[in-house]
Amino acid sequence: MGNILKPDICVIGGGAAGLSAAAGAAAFGVSVVLVEQGKMGGDCLNYGCVPSKALIAAARQAQAMRQAGEFGLVAAEPFIDGERLQARIRSVIEGIAPHDSIERFLGLGVEVIQGSARFVDDRTVAAGDHLIRARRFVIATGSSPAIPPIAGLAETPYLTNESLFEVMPVPRHLVVVGGGPFGLEMAQAHCRLGARVTVVERASALSKEDPELKAVVLDAVRSEGTVLHEGTVIRSVERDDGGVRLHCEHQSGRFDIEGSELLLATGRVANYGALDLGAAGIRHDAERIHVGADLRTSNRRVYVIGDAAGGLQFTHAASYHARLVLQQILFRLPSREVRAIVPRVTFTDPEIAQVGPTEDEARASFDAIELVRWDLSGNDRARTDGLGRGMVKIVVGRGGRILGAGIAGAGAGEMINLWSFATANRLTLKNFRDYVAPYPTLSEIGKQAAISYYSPMARNRFVRSAIRLLRCFG
């Protein structure tokens, strides 16, 4: 280990967070060393967002064929070609991979080391044959699937997001453990591609979402054939005739579920066990690295971003974290993570998206709020496209300020962008009332909701003025 490198920044991890940090720093001409032991692009490109959305897109086309009759066309049951589907998923990954490649980052001026990293002391990292003594370190090591402590699981074959997309043809009966975003996305997609699907959730599905909005999504998923068991505990699992058997318990009693494949979608855990954080004086425990709102650790040289920081585990949050940290390192500008401005989307059909607090969260945090709801069926574009299911729900504070917004419906992930902008910039519904929306678009629903908020106020002002005039003329 005689080769000593002294860059301005050492980034550990070549996933979404690490690549954003490395590319951003290199663009300002500072020296950067990037250490990655696995595939460049990390989980998002290789096992997460990209392949899952490619699978969802295929499932959406399959469902469109079944529903063609609603548009005056001849409906047909799709034939699923597993090999071609898998090839398309691979081609999508391969099309994006050059943007995240070693070659691209070398071209940006980043020195890339392929290997594992560990701290030697509070200012030195060992990686391969190198000792890296950087001015600042950025830990961006991502996360891995959380494996629940279920009896018999160690002896039973199971899938996670890291192996799911290698399974072709489509499973005969996919059993999904976990009713969160990834679990429900994959459940609906596989159901649309012809599999029987059963989801088992210990608590309630989409537990972080507004109950009124998630009901729209869960009703749709169930109506397409997915069986969803909420409030259900898995006592044990076992291999069974080439498949799996789950022994479950619900408030109504015990029952078994038999499936061909088992998918674990029970959350994620941060990757940092191999870093030897203790050697660097970085406070941590079995569950997380301790970081402040500025994403800095107890070692002032070291920051943590992306999934490794815990909390918000989204690719767009990773990019946001990278920007906050670079502001501090490069420009010495104070920056703090504000989670309320980071949106989240579950890419089921219909989608569900949220930015800022839900109704229940807002009631617990603010003295006075108002709610504005607008049903998607009141939108002309939704009617032309057969997308009547869904609604927008806006949480409004004093003076009409937009505290948060949730959308359940087709295109919710696109429509939430405008509300994310509004939340981050502390806009009011007056700003939505006054802008011009193109017709017919789904995004008009935001303007329609804003007008509905001010219309009663306008009527009340008119009534009050009329009463005053009547009193004046006696």
Side-chain angles (χ1 to χ4, degrees):
M1 285 199 183
N3 189 10
I4 299 177
L5 304 176
K6 297 183 178 181
D8 289 304
I9 300 174
C10 173
V11 179
I12 305 172
L19 296 183
S20 295
F28 285 95
V30 303
S31 56
V32 182
V33 170
L34 173 67
V35 183
E36 171 54 56
Q37 67 177 354
K39 293 182 178 181
M40 293 286 281
D43 189 84
C44 179
L45 172 63
N46 298 291
Y47 314 111
C49 304
V50 172
S52 68
K53 301 311 169 282
L55 185 74
I56 289 170
R60 184 171 58 246
Q61 296 300 319
Q63 191 69 3
M65 294 175 65
R66 295 188 186 96
Q67 295 176 332
E70 299 175 12
F71 297 88
L73 307 174
V74 178
E77 183 62 28
F79 172 77
I80 310 301
D81 187 328
E83 291 186 2
R84 292 181 65 180
L85 174 56
Q86 195 173 51
R88 183 180 185 276
I89 292 172
R90 284 196 301 267
S91 72
V92 173
I93 295 172
E94 291 166 359
I96 298 173
H99 185 267
D100 295 348
S101 66
I102 292 175
E103 291 75 18
R104 175 173 178 261
F105 277 80
L106 291 175
L108 294 175
V110 176
E111 182 167 353
V112 181
I113 298 175
Q114 292 182 278
S116 60
R118 63 178 178 84
F119 282 94
V120 176
D121 55 42
D122 63 352
R123 59 165 299 169
T124 310
V125 161
D129 296 329
H130 305 278
L131 287 176
I132 306 166
R133 292 179 181 157
R135 187 168 63 89
R136 294 289 183 268
F137 293 90
V138 179
I139 297 174
T141 46
S143 63
S144 299
I147 309 303
I150 300 173
L153 188 59
E155 295 76 41
T156 305
Y158 60 82
L159 303 168
T160 68
N161 71 296
E162 295 180 353
S163 53
L164 174 65
F165 304 105
E166 300 172 3
V167 178
M168 290 296 163
V170 174
R172 176 179 54 80
H173 182 186
L174 179 67
V175 180
V176 181
V177 179
F182 179 71
L184 283 187
E185 287 175 2
M186 293 300 94
Q188 185 183 46
H190 281 84
C191 186
R192 288 179 161 191
L193 292 170
R196 285 181 59 203
V197 180
T198 301
V199 177
V200 184
E201 168 56 48
R202 185 183 185 92
S204 61
L206 298 179
S207 58
K208 293 183 180 180
E209 305 302 339
D210 182 279
E212 196 172 6
L213 298 177
K214 77 175 184 179
V216 176
V217 174
L218 298 182
D219 287 348
V221 170
R222 283 188 170 107
S223 71
E224 292 179 10
T226 294
V227 176
L228 176 56
H229 296 286
E230 297 180 276
T232 300
V233 177
I234 301 173
R235 295 302 181 189
S236 64
V237 299
E238 61 183 337
R239 187 191 299 264
D240 180 61
D241 293 332
V244 294
R245 181 189 295 268
L246 286 71
H247 302 285
C248 304
E249 186 173 353
H250 187 265
Q251 62 180 4
S252 58
R254 298 194 173 195
F255 63 98
D256 290 353
I257 300 172
E258 296 179 8
S260 58
E261 278 85 16
L262 178 65
L263 170 63
L264 301 183
T266 47
R268 304 186 65 79
V269 293
N271 298 326
Y272 56 85
L275 291 177
D276 197 0
L277 298 177
I282 297 173
R283 290 182 58 236
H284 65 286
D285 54 38
E287 297 181 351
R288 64 188 180 95
I289 304 174
H290 295 272
V291 297
D294 58 357
L295 302 173
R296 211 170 200 173
T297 70
S298 54
N299 181 335
R300 305 299 287 172
R301 296 178 181 274
V302 184
Y303 296 82
V304 187
I305 63 175
D307 284 11
L312 303 174
Q313 295 183 325
F314 312 119
T315 296
H316 51 281
S319 299
Y320 171 54
H321 285 176
R323 176 174 63 81
L324 295 180
V325 165
L326 290 182
Q327 284 180 192
Q328 297 174 69
I329 294 175
L330 301 181
F331 306 109
R332 300 188 184 278
L333 295 173
S335 300
R336 299 177 66 84
E337 179 190 35
V338 181
R339 293 187 178 182
I341 68 170
V342 180
R344 61 178 182 265
V345 183
T346 298
F347 294 94
T348 46
D349 182 13
E351 297 173 348
I352 184 169
Q354 179 75 39
V355 66
T358 63
E359 176 187 351
D360 290 342
E361 291 167 342
R363 292 195 187 281
S365 301
F366 297 91
D367 293 335
I369 66 166
E370 295 182 77
L371 297 174
V372 179
R373 297 176 177 85
W374 196 266
D375 199 87
L376 202 64
S377 62
N379 177 273
D380 290 357
R381 182 59 183 270
R383 287 182 174 274
T384 64
D385 291 9
L387 304 173
R389 292 181 302 187
M391 65 181 298
V392 62
K393 186 174 181 180
I394 309 158
V395 181
V396 186
R398 297 184 187 279
R401 181 188 159 198
I402 300 163
L403 301 176
I407 306 172
E414 299 295 334
M415 288 190 281
I416 203 66
N417 280 289
L418 195 56
W419 298 101
S420 298
F421 178 83
T423 304
N425 289 279
R426 301 174 66 87
L427 300 184
T428 69
L429 281 178
K430 183 178 182 298
N431 301 113
F432 275 71
R433 183 194 67 184
D434 294 344
Y435 90 101
V436 178
Y439 175 86
T441 59
L442 293 176
S443 293
E444 277 187 293
I445 191 173
K447 184 174 179 64
Q448 291 168 318
I451 291 172
S452 75
Y453 173 78
Y454 285 103
S455 293
M457 295 178 64
R459 286 196 299 270
N460 289 340
R461 285 195 298 269
F462 175 79
V463 171
R464 288 196 296 267
S465 298
I467 291 172
R468 283 196 296 269
L469 283 172
L470 287 171
R471 286 176 177 170
C472 289
F473 291 104

